[in-house]
Amino acid sequence: MPAQTNSPTAPEVGTATLSVRGLTKRYGDRTVLDGLDFDVGAGEVVSVLGANGSGKSTALRCVVGLVRPEGGSITVAGRTVTPGVPLSEVAMVFQRIHLVPRRSVLDNVCAGALGRLPLAQSWATWAFPQDLREEAMACLDRVGLADRAHDRAGRLSGGQQQRVAIARALCQRARVLLADEPVSALDPAAAESVMRLLHSLATEDRIAVAAVLHQPDLARRYSDRVVGLAEGRLEFALPAEELGDHRIDELYAADYRAEGAAL
Ligand SMILES: Nc1ncnc2c1ncn2[C@@H]1O[C@H](COP(=O)(O)OP(=O)(O)O)[C@@H](O)[C@H]1O
Ligand SMILES: [Mg+2]
């Protein structure tokens, strides 16, 4: 586990795998991200908390290249990410799990490598080379689902499908894994298993994990640090064990005040 700090904005230079500085995003005249700073180190799980609309998804979407920010910088392992251009080292999983349900679990995991395959072996053909299939099988084994490799993805439970989506990110060889409410649609036992997996990917595989959660209890138990967002700004950044209930109450109260002010 990396040394913990009260400020995710000021780790030792060069230690953060993902580093976000001054991230700004506007939709029309609405500022959704307002100079956001945060870091995620290799081997670390950072939970992102905040009320609906505080900018959590937009922040992660900027990092993965799905949304183009107006300002700020994003670096991954020291390399600057061009706004709006995805980087293979960064993968994202979502609450709504995007697998191809009629394809095998193994094919879905192989799809994580599409970005580095020649066009001739494209997604349309599903003719993944043997060495990739072996790599995908190892990724499935890592998430505990090697025995389901040849089932149709749509037959798996929600928790298993989320683990397949994580295996697909591993097959992409991601070093930064962003998870946007990865357990919001899961029952408590499945949520625990996904959080355990994310935690072990950080501690054992040294992946940098950032997870948007709505469950402070999961954030405390499975993350190293917690960042709180309100109105697109960093409200706090704390070691997980210092996340007191009052911080949670203040975080959501701040957003409700803002909502009231906007009415
Ligand atoms: N594509 C979009 N167009 C316009 N407004 C958007 C778009 N995406 C998000 N927003 C707005 O940006 C704000 C932050 O959204 P989001 O990042 O999804 O918040 P969170 O994930 O914290 O709930 C919200 O007010 C939302 O309505
Ligand atoms: Mg969201």
Side-chain angles (χ1 to χ4, degrees), residues 221-241:
R221 287 192 291 124
Y222 289 106
S223 48
D224 299 288
R225 288 185 299 116
V226 182
V227 301
L229 261 64
E231 298 175 74
R233 282 191 294 271
L234 194 70
E235 190 80 359
F236 62 73
L238 296 166
E241 62 271 20

Side-chain angles (χ1 to χ4, degrees), residues 51-52 230-231 249-263:
N52 291 332
E231 298 175 74
D249 294 344
E250 280 168 11
L251 184 67
Y252 292 99
D255 248 66
Y256 287 127
R257 272 200 304 278
E259 226 166 71
L263 289 178

Side-chain angles (χ1 to χ4, degrees), residues 52-53 55-58 180-181 212 214:
N52 291 332
K56 306 179 299 297
S57 295
T58 303
D180 194 358
E181 301 194 33
V212 173
H214 280 305

Side-chain angles (χ1 to χ4, degrees), residues 57 60-61 64 66 90-94 165 168-169 172 176-180:
S57 295
L60 297 197
R61 284 170 171 271
V64 82
L66 286 170
V90 184
M92 186 149 165
V93 297
F94 302 86
R168 183 177 55 192
Q172 184 186 317
V176 175
L177 181 57
L178 309 174
D180 194 358

